């Protein structure tokens, strides 16, 4: 089995996706074959009928109208809502039925997030599916050093590996939290890492409104100020403080990005039983209400600003109270939330490849597959955490990043659905071979074999004896060798030296302007 | 985390399934809570539209009409086909268009396979889904002793563990191949093990027509001869010798069971690229043609005999030529084959929880989940190999049996779909808690918490620190402890001593009647 980065592409490059880019990349030498974002040719799996959808939509409006949402320590947002016709009492905002739904009509059904390499730009919405890596963990884990706090070096490594994984269409955001850098400055190095060590689209900082503004400024240096004002080059994650409240940090970042015409993902972040009711229908009702209000706020700030309906819902361990993943209840929620988003005509985001396991073992893989596949079948447009997530999001795993990346490649093929061309129908092969013979040598097999099956970068399909002779390694051990070879072979995408200089100058000036702080 | 067998039931027992049985079992003391077969409330995921379905159906008829199938060394079957109007030349049978399709109209759309404990009887067809364990491996594997040839003791252990896993609705057949027993007699001990150490429905021997007849005789001792003649108490696996041929062993067993009114599963067994074309549409065409002929043969032998459309299709490793599992191409085939079966109005069988890994690691779990979930969503009625399959079917794994069993429990919950009752909609909870608070203590959570979430028997969802303090075990290590405790706590279901004596007498007489043979 080969374990070079170039092998993680499966066969999909040949399927007419990214073909030209792949050839150009090959000519540049050393660069990896990349896949374009998925354009799903398969159906959406759905769990709710018309009646159920209307029931939940009705109840979400009731939540907005009768219970309302809090916007904390955020007079500007309260004023915006008052001006828009909402009932504002203290920090509580109650919304006339249909107000939020009506406001988000100006949001695009689909939009392009531009990458600095135009071949990596992604369309978010419609039948498209964009895979982005893990977001948020303060720890990293690998087989050699175990679990430890993440550093900016780990951050760069994850950016480089995400760049090298063909089916990761997006560089993501906080691929891990570089806790070795001051909190008030680390966003600069994180954003720069995405800009410099990858040419895929990426996410902006949301830990304070001014850090969101720094992200936009850096994007202007990379893309040009006019381009940024007229196009989406950033997408950023706004987690709702469920239940039913937004704090001024998240709402502040949301407004900063929306004002700049940049995309936000409004995500009710729900551990069912703690931040929402324990039932799927209850979670969906609350998710819809919270998402409606946040998405509507983006449109009040700047009509037409791209915004994504996000859902992150986990079940709970009855033993420990911890979130659990890959369980049936959140899958049901995901299918339903995707349906609700489609009815609002906005793109939909979920997680995927989630797990509660501490190590990249069978638990991690079962749970990851049981969150990844529902997302793909449910019709997700932007899937965060689709590779590398471990330990309920507390650790970014080097091994799991490449293992999940392999699964994403499989999903990319699966989403193509079934080929019914004359070649695929294979009647000539059936006639040629006939009863009792075999197809190995027939012309049809010869012509199609090389591209017929997804080729895994991780799976061992050798005989038991050969596997044993090669050391009897498990998947995690093979993944360990794979990510190391990918890092060793990594070559950075070219960048304009003047742009790079300007970015570094911006960061230096910012860093000098304030003392280090750990908040 | 508890690791007793009683904990592997998740919450589903409370969902009104098997409730009475569970209470009775509890009164018997020590017995496990069992789940009734799944009645799916979710939609079927489909990949083919009407046009694609008609195209493949048309092409399958062309294969039957123009290419035909071979029935090897089986003059009786050739005579049956000639009588039915087929064109028989030597061993090649060509079928007038529509003949097979027309013949299978007498096959039931759904049927009951009776278990000796009526509470364990299963309905096969319609929206039902029955999970059966791994079938066929000559090796077993556990963490303590590694990989070794299977024995009858292993066989009994797998029967007992399958009995103890609530979401395994079926005891299966060759849960492993007891190679310590003579080939010509081991079927007796295998069938007896299912009858004696479980009270779930089970599968019959197919390695020779006379062994199929032995199975039927033993079933008559257990169920009564009249009952067996009028009811289905056995289901047996008939693998087609793809491409496009049946040998006299498989066709012989098929006829023996059909004559006895017992169910068969006619399964084209396909490694794409070797036994069929490399393309999904080609595999589907051949699968349909082969299955149509076999299913029609059962109806010629005995109209009304229950028969299941089976599909087993794997992709191929381009490195080793070995079958690969959990890849996207076979998933597409499965969705399509299930659609073809539904249009024929017969039950559908697939594999599930398949993998090529040698050990119960992340590869095993990714691949298992990526075969299990497509089967559940695709609308499978009888899923063989749904727990315990390892190494491409060469080894039955003790650890994977219980890990997969846990996943089956999750699928059982997922197949319930979404609850839209007033309780589930949870509006009172949303009103009670409101913005910024939490749902942990509210009345709705208290009332629903215990049954709100599937409770995994394998997953560790404790904190990293607690997990580490408890030994930092991976899923396989926890599974090792679980199956041992399940075997330790196993109590056999009661059996009528007279029946037991008759079964043993039958076996003794059979064994005395012929010398041991290893063929």
């Amino acid at each position: 089995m080969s374990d070079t980065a170039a092998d993680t592409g499966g066969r999909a490059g040949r399927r007419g996706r990214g073909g030209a880019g792949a050839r150009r990349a090959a000519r540049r030498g050393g660069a990896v074959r990349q896949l374009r974002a998925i354009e799903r040719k398969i159906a959406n799996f759905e769990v709710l009928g018309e009646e159920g959808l209307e029931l939940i939509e009705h109840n979400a409006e009731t939540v907005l109208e009768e219970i309302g949402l809090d916007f904390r320590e955020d007079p500007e947002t309260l004023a915006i809502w008052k001006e828009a016709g909402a009932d504002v009492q203290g920090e509580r905002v109650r919304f006339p039925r249909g107000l939020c739904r009506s406001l988000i009509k100006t949001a695009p059904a689909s939009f392009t997030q531009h990458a600095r390499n135009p071949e990596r730009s992604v369309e978010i919405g419609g039948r498209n599916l964009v895979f982005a890596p893990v977001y948020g963990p303060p720890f990293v884990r690998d087989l050699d050093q175990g679990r430890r706090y993440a550093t900016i070096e780990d951050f760069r490594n994850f950016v480089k590996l995400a760049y090298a994984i063909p089916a990761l269409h997006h560089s993501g955001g906080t691929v891990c939290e570089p806790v070795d850098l001051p909190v008030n400055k680390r966003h600069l190095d994180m954003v720069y890492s995405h800009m410099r060590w990858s040419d895929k689209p990426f996410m902006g900082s949301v830990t304070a409104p001014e850090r969101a503004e720094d992200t936009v400024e850096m994007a202007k240096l990379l893309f040009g100020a006019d381009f940024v004002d007229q196009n989406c080059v950033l997408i950023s994650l706004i987690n709702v403080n469920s239940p039913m409240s937004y704090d001024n940090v998240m709402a502040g970042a949301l407004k900063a990005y929306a004002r700049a015409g940049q995309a936000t993902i409004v995500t009710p972040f729900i551990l069912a039983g703690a931040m929402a009711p324990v039932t799927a229908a209850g979670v969906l009702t609350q998710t819809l209400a919270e998402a409606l209000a946040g998405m509507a706020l983006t449109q009040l700030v700047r009509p037409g600003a791209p915004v994504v309906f996000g859902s992150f819902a986990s079940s709970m361990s009855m033993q420990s109270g911890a979130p659990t993943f890959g369980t049936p209840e959140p899958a049901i929620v995901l299918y339903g939330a995707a349906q609700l988003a489609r009815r609002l005509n906005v793109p939909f985001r979920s997680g995927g490849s989630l797990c509660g396991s501490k190590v990249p073992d069978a638990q991690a893989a079962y749970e990851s597959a049981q969150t990844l596949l529902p997302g793909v079948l449910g019709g997700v447009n932007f899937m965060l955490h689709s590779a590398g997530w471990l330990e309920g999001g507390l650790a970014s795993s080097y091994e799991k990043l490449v293992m999940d990346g392999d699964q994403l490649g499989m999903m990319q093929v699966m989403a193509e659905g079934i080929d019914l061309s004359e070649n695929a129908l294979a009647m000539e092969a059936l006639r040629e071979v006939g009863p009792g013979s075999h197809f190995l040598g027939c012309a049809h097999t010869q012509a199609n074999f090389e591209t017929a099956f997804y080729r895994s970068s991780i799976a061992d399909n050798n005989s038991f004896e050969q596997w044993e002779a090669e050391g009897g390694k498990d998947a995690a051990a093979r993944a360990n060798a794979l990510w190391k070879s990918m890092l060793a072979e990594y070559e950075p995408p070219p960048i304009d030296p003047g742009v790079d200089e300007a970015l570094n100058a911006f960061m230096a000036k910012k860093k000098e302007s304030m003392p280090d702080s750990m908040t």
Side-chain angles (χ1 to χ4, degrees), chain A residues 142-219:
Chain A
D142 66 39
L143 285 196
D144 306 294
Q145 299 181 64
R147 183 192 199 246
R148 59 192 190 278
Y149 276 106
T151 65
I152 189 67
E153 190 189 341
D154 292 308
F155 191 100
R156 282 191 291 259
N157 285 342
F158 275 86
V159 169
K160 291 173 183 178
L161 289 168
Y163 172 66
I165 294 173
L168 273 173
H169 316 109
H170 206 276
S171 195
T174 311
V175 288
C176 59
E177 187 75 39
V179 297
D180 55 336
L181 299 184
V183 169
N184 62 333
K185 300 178 180 175
R186 68 174 64 143
H187 65 287
L188 301 164
D189 295 272
M190 294 159 74
V191 168
Y192 176 76
S193 294
H194 286 296
M195 291 177 163
R196 179 66 193 93
W197 309 117
S198 183
D199 62 5
K200 297 184 180 180
F202 60 93
M203 302 173 77
S205 175
V206 294
T207 53
E210 61 273 21
R211 295 174 199 153
E213 285 155 11
D214 285 346
T215 308
V216 174
E217 287 309 308
M218 290 176 75

Side-chain angles (χ1 to χ4, degrees), chain A residues 14 20 94 134 137 221 279 285 309 321 326 387 403 424 445 448 495 498 512:
Chain A
R14 182 245 168 217
R94 292 184 177 81
V134 56
L221 296 173
T279 53
T285 302
F309 182 145
M403 295 198 303
T445 302
N448 291 280
I495 193 169
E512 277 162 24

Side-chain angles (χ1 to χ4, degrees), chain A residues 198-261:
Chain A
S198 183
D199 62 5
K200 297 184 180 180
F202 60 93
M203 302 173 77
S205 175
V206 294
T207 53
E210 61 273 21
R211 295 174 199 153
E213 285 155 11
D214 285 346
T215 308
V216 174
E217 287 309 308
M218 290 176 75
K220 287 180 179 170
L221 296 173
L222 186 65
F223 290 94
D226 286 352
F227 190 84
V228 170
D229 188 55
Q230 295 304 314
N231 293 281
C232 172
V233 301
L234 294 167
I235 188 166
S236 301
L237 183 63
I238 306 299
N239 281 341
V240 182
N241 308 96
S242 303
M244 297 169 265
S245 66
Y246 284 77
D247 65 27
N248 60 356
V249 174
M250 281 297 168
L254 178 147
K255 289 181 288 180
Y257 284 117
R259 265 188 203 108

Side-chain angles (χ1 to χ4, degrees), chain A residues 4-23:
Chain A
T4 64
D7 282 321
T8 59
R11 63 170 182 187
R14 182 245 168 217
R15 289 208 151 193
R17 297 177 167 275
R23 284 191 297 276

Side-chain angles (χ1 to χ4, degrees), chain A residues 418-441:
Chain A
I418 189 160
D419 181 357
L420 292 171
S421 65
E422 198 170 319
N423 176 62
L425 288 166
M427 286 302 282
E428 285 317 304
L430 288 162
R431 284 184 213 277
E432 179 186 339
V433 174
S437 185
H438 68 76
F439 289 76
L440 286 168

